[in-house]
Amino acid sequence: MRTTDFSKTPPQGQATAMFVGATRYRGPLSIITLTLTWFRMVRDMKRMRGYRWHKIYWEFPYTLGTLAFFEDRDALLRFARSRHHRRLMQWVTDGSKNATGGYIRLYNAEPEGYSNGVWRAEGGPMAHIETFTPLSTERAAGDGEGPRVRRG
């Protein structure tokens, strides 16, 4: 089940860079104004080399967030430099008249991970792992393997 081959996974499983962010907008008018640039930005993002997948989430009352997956960090950063994204970020950070807060986090996938069943590239079986992935303290302890998985 451990693998470094994610070629059979859905697009987000093939990504190695992930963006997580959210913005708390000032109110309904800000969200309506946002849509003028938003749709053009998403259209451009989907056309960019390295784009894999994204999802939008909402938190009451005026927070919109995004999870976006890219082939690699360079693809993610190329998107951040795009015309519509820059325009949107300038609008969002223009004092507090449009938005009152926000954050961005960038994550990189480790080369190894897990897959099984239909998404497993190394054959068809849905194999179990024999040892857990080691914690940072277990790596320092020696052999680079975590404790054995006990089947109950």
Side-chain angles (χ1 to χ4, degrees), residues 10-68:
Q12 55 270 45
Q14 296 173 20
T16 64
M18 182 174 99
F19 166 95
V20 177
T23 302
R24 179 168 296 146
Y25 293 93
R26 175 62 91 197
L29 183 59
S30 293
I31 292 175
I32 291 167
T33 304
L34 162 75
T35 62
L36 301 174
T37 302
W38 174 256
F39 288 111
R40 288 186 292 250
M41 183 187 74
V42 169
R43 182 195 63 217
D44 286 353
M45 178 176 68
K46 287 180 171 183
R47 291 177 179 168
M48 292 185 80
R49 185 173 55 81
Y51 166 81
R52 291 293 178 256
W53 181 84
H54 80 282
K55 204 53 129 175
I56 307 306
Y57 65 93
W58 173 75
E59 291 182 6
F60 183 81
Y62 303 119
T63 299
L64 291 173
T66 304
L67 302 170

Side-chain angles (χ1 to χ4, degrees), residues 1 8 115-127:
M1 205 159 109
K8 302 268 190 217
S115 66
N116 63 11
V118 69
W119 295 320
R120 187 172 171 88
E122 302 91 346
M126 292 179 56

Side-chain angles (χ1 to χ4, degrees), residues 69-135:
F69 294 78
F70 294 84
E71 177 181 355
D72 55 30
R73 187 178 176 90
D74 283 348
L76 188 159
L77 295 175
R78 271 193 300 278
F79 166 70
R81 296 176 183 185
S82 69
R83 170 181 52 156
H84 294 302
H85 184 264
R86 285 193 329 267
R87 187 175 298 149
L88 179 63
M89 289 299 98
Q90 289 168 355
W91 178 80
V92 164
T93 59
D94 186 15
S96 61
K97 67 182 183 180
N98 301 312
T100 60
Y103 72 91
I104 291 172
R105 296 288 295 189
L106 306 180
Y107 296 96
N108 294 310
E110 297 291 334
E112 67 281 338
Y114 301 88
S115 66
N116 63 11
V118 69
W119 295 320
R120 187 172 171 88
E122 302 91 346
M126 292 179 56
H128 291 283
I129 57 172
E130 298 300 320
T131 60
F132 288 106
T133 300
L135 304 174

